[in-house]
Amino acid sequence: MARHTPVMAVMVAAARKAARGLQRDFGEVENLQVSLKGPANFVTAADKKAEKTLFEELSKARPGYGFLMEEGGTIEGSDKSHRWLIDPLDGTTNFLHSIPHFAISIGLERDGQIVAGVVYNPISDELFIAEKGQGAFLNDRRLRVAARRELANAVVATGIPHIGRPGHKRFIAELGVVMNEVAGVRRMGSAALDLAYVAAGRYDAYWEANLAPWDLAAGIILVREAGGFVSDLNSRDDVLNSGGVIAGNETIHRELAKALKRAHAAS
Ligand code: 2AM
Ligand code: CA
C-alpha cells in the first residue's frame, strides 16, 4: 500500500470532485451531437467548470499556492515556492467525440521541481498518482515501466500536431523513421494519459512535441516514479519549457531518442 503525504489526499479529493461534473457532462455530449456548434460550446463549459472546481478545492486546502491552468492561465500565489499545474480536461477532442479517453491532470511543483502528480480518467475510474520518492500507483497498485529492451518489440505512443500548430513536417519525418523500427505506434489524444500508460507499462515509450506544461507535469513524475526516463526531444531535462517529451524505460528511451535524432537530421 502506498505511503502518501497529506497533499496527495488533497489532490485526489479535488480530482474526484471535478470528475463528477465531467462524468455527468460526458453522458450529455452524445445527446448534443445533432447540433453542430452545441457540443464544442458544451465541452468548453465542462472544461471551465472542472477547472473552477479544482481551483476552489486546491485553494481551500492549500491557500497561497500559485496556479498555472490551461483555461485560467497564471495565478500568482503568496507562497512563491508552490505551484499547481492543471489541465482540467486533457483529451478534449475525445470528450467532444464521446470517446472515453481523457483525464484530469494535476501536478504540484515545489521550488521548480515537480513533487506530486495525479492523472485521473473519470470514465475508466483509473487513478494514477505519484509523489517524489514514494513510487507511482494505479488505484493503489504499484506501477513499473515495461521491461522490454528491443525497440522492435515496443509499442510507442505519440501525438500528431493539431491543425494550425507547428511541427507537421517534422512529425511526419519522425513517424517515417519510428514506424519502421517499432512493433506499433498509437495515437490516443491525451498526453497526460499517454505518460500514465508509460508509467503503467502499457506503452513502452511515448514522444510528442509542442505540449504545454499542464499536459506534462503530472505525467512526468508518474513515469519517473515508475522507474522510467523522461527527457525533452534533445535528451535533456528541459521538458516543461521545451514542450517536447520522450518517455520510456532507460533502454527504450535511449533507442527512441536516437531514432528521433536520425529523423531530425534527415528532415
Ligand atoms: P487538450 O486535449 O487538453 O487540448 C494531443 O496530442 C495532446 O495535445 C492532448 O494532450 C491535448 O490536450 C494537447 N494539445 C492540443 N492542443 C494543444 C495546444 N494548442 N497546445 C498544447 N497542447 C495541445
Ligand atoms: Ca491538455
Side-chain angles (χ1 to χ4, degrees):
M1 185 51 200
R3 291 198 328 268
H4 298 302
T5 62
V7 78
M8 180 50 73
V10 165
M11 293 165 76
V12 169
R16 287 199 185 278
K17 183 155 188 188
R20 286 200 286 277
L22 289 181
Q23 284 157 350
R24 261 195 314 273
D25 292 339
F26 186 68
E28 291 293 312
V29 163
E30 273 180 320
N31 303 331
L32 296 165
Q33 297 294 349
V34 277
S35 122
L36 220 64
K37 210 161 174 199
N41 292 340
F42 183 79
V43 170
T44 308
D47 197 341
K48 291 205 161 117
K49 202 165 58 182
E51 187 171 284
K52 183 164 176 281
T53 301
L54 294 170
F55 176 74
E56 285 170 358
E57 292 301 304
L58 295 171
S59 317
K60 212 171 1 170
R62 290 294 182 275
Y65 284 21
F67 285 84
L68 177 62
M69 301 183 285
E70 173 157 32
E71 303 299 327
T74 298
I75 296 172
E76 293 284 341
S78 54
D79 176 343
K80 300 298 176 199
S81 62
H82 290 95
R83 184 168 73 146
W84 302 109
L85 294 101
I86 293 178
D87 191 340
L89 176 47
D90 187 56
T92 319
T93 305
N94 287 339
F95 190 100
L96 182 60
H97 288 255
S98 300
I99 300 168
H101 189 83
F102 56 88
I104 292 167
S105 176
I106 309 172
L108 174 61
E109 200 177 63
R110 179 175 298 139
D111 301 322
Q113 212 185 42
I114 300 154
V115 294
V118 167
V119 173
Y120 183 50
N121 177 339
I123 306 305
S124 67
D125 191 30
E126 287 188 311
L127 177 73
F128 299 87
I129 65 171
E131 281 184 276
K132 197 166 168 53
Q134 307 287 337
F137 297 82
L138 163 53
N139 296 345
D140 288 330
R141 184 168 60 81
R142 181 87 187 238
L143 295 181
R144 188 78 206 156
V145 292
R148 278 181 204 88
R149 300 179 66 83
E150 308 290 331
L151 204 52
N153 297 327
V155 168
V156 175
T158 187
I160 303 173
H162 290 221
I163 187 169
R165 302 277 303 166
H168 286 225
K169 267 180 109 165
R170 193 170 144 111
F171 173 75
I172 287 175
E174 291 171 346
L175 186 63
V177 170
V178 173
M179 66 193 277
N180 278 305
E181 303 195 13
V182 302
V185 178
R186 298 290 181 270
R187 195 276 193 231
M188 285 299 288
S190 161
L193 284 174
D194 289 338
L195 285 163
Y197 279 27
V198 171
R202 294 172 177 176
Y203 297 146
D204 296 287
Y206 163 64
W207 95 93
E208 188 163 352
N210 295 312
L211 292 165
W214 48 79
D215 301 318
L216 293 162
I220 290 171
I221 188 164
L222 279 166
V223 173
R224 290 192 172 144
E225 287 296 323
F229 278 56
V230 183
S231 75
D232 63 27
L233 293 172
N234 297 312
S235 296
R236 287 194 282 266
D237 203 15
D238 195 28
V239 185
L240 287 189
N241 285 318
S242 76
V245 62
I246 307 174
N249 72 28
E250 185 177 7
T251 316
I252 300 288
H253 174 279
R254 187 175 57 237
E255 294 305 315
L256 179 58
K258 275 196 238 163
L260 293 171
K261 199 166 249 167
R262 282 199 299 282
H264 298 152
S267 67

